[in-house]
Amino acid sequence: MALEVSRVLAGAHDDPILCVAYNAVRREVWTGCQGGKIRCWEEKTGEMVQEVSGAHKGWVTAMEYVRRHDYLVTCGVDGTMVCRTEKGKELQRVDARGALFCLAYGARRDLLVAGGRGAISVFRLVTINTVERNKDPVDRRVHPVRLVCTVPDVHADVIRGVACDASGRIFTGSYDRSVCVFDGEQFERMRSRDTDEPAASV
């Protein structure tokens, strides 16, 4: 049986699309493009629900929808990672101090891993209560993303792929043609020593 396309959203962005995320509860598709915009689409009708211009300055390189917390997390070459509510409202903008190229969520240890120029940054996610999430503007003390550690010089070039398995291990792949495997236990130990200090915000 051939795999058939059920719908095509032609011209979904003015610029090439680099990443996609899916919210199964709201049945919405999020897309990010080279121009820095992110858009949200209703799966059934293909109608655009929302557009966020200037979500990033430059390429939106990766996005991840984290169902456990109902967060949409995006990153880009501008060196920022942005955590949003399921409706697209910005909760926190994190300065990663360098371009980011990929994201992965590890459900086992509730960690978010971002890959950059040879380094990875590992964050833990914290659920923000409904009252805080709905404040307008969001209180700058609201920090759903908190840095666990940054591991430099993992690769000799850009990290273009990252994945987490069910046991908590982390896998990275790079333009340097190598794959690195991290034992998840070491991040659990770091996480247990972690404080409530947030990741640096812009």
Side-chain angles (χ1 to χ4, degrees), residues 71-83:
Y71 292 153
L72 174 73
V73 185
T74 63
C75 68
V77 294
D78 61 358
T80 63
M81 184 168 67
V82 183
C83 181

Side-chain angles (χ1 to χ4, degrees), residues 56-74:
H56 289 274
K57 295 177 182 177
W59 294 14
V60 184
T61 51
M63 55 174 48
E64 185 85 11
Y65 185 77
V66 182
R67 177 67 188 92
R68 178 178 292 179
H69 302 280
D70 286 329
Y71 292 153
L72 174 73
V73 185
T74 63

Side-chain angles (χ1 to χ4, degrees), residues 27-202:
R27 296 184 178 179
E28 292 173 344
V29 180
W30 287 87
T31 54
C33 74
Q34 284 186 1
K37 292 180 181 178
I38 61 174
R39 288 177 173 172
C40 181
W41 310 87
E42 206 283 322
E43 177 195 6
K44 187 175 182 180
T45 65
E47 178 183 354
M48 186 171 72
V49 177
Q50 184 179 174
E51 176 184 277
V52 182
S53 296
H56 289 274
K57 295 177 182 177
W59 294 14
V60 184
T61 51
M63 55 174 48
E64 185 85 11
Y65 185 77
V66 182
R67 177 67 188 92
R68 178 178 292 179
H69 302 280
D70 286 329
Y71 292 153
L72 174 73
V73 185
T74 63
C75 68
V77 294
D78 61 358
T80 63
M81 184 168 67
V82 183
C83 181
R84 300 179 183 275
T85 68
E86 72 280 10
K87 296 180 181 179
K89 180 179 180 180
E90 184 174 317
L91 291 174
Q92 183 184 5
R93 185 174 290 263
V94 177
D95 181 5
R97 297 180 174 85
L100 297 175
F101 301 96
C102 53
L103 282 175
Y105 173 67
R108 171 70 178 271
R109 293 183 169 85
D110 206 17
L111 297 175
L112 188 72
V113 186
R117 296 187 187 279
I120 62 169
S121 293
V122 181
F123 304 86
R124 68 182 173 100
L125 298 179
V126 179
T127 299
I128 301 301
N129 65 51
T130 303
V131 173
E132 293 293 335
R133 289 164 68 98
N134 291 334
K135 280 186 179 178
D136 193 18
V138 174
D139 189 327
R140 288 190 177 272
R141 293 171 296 179
V142 172
H143 298 295
V145 178
R146 306 192 179 181
L147 181 66
V148 174
C149 67
T150 296
V151 186
D153 304 322
V154 174
H155 290 277
D157 207 333
V158 166
I159 298 173
R160 198 60 189 90
V162 60
C164 304
D165 73 2
S167 70
R169 290 184 299 172
I170 295 171
F171 305 83
T172 60
S174 167
Y175 288 160
D176 68 6
R177 297 173 295 176
S178 68
V179 173
C180 292
V181 182
F182 296 86
D183 180 0
E185 292 297 329
Q186 62 185 314
F187 294 106
E188 183 63 28
R189 290 192 292 272
M190 291 177 182
R191 188 175 185 274
S192 68
R193 297 195 301 268
D194 187 23
T195 68
D196 284 338
E197 288 297 316
S201 296
V202 176

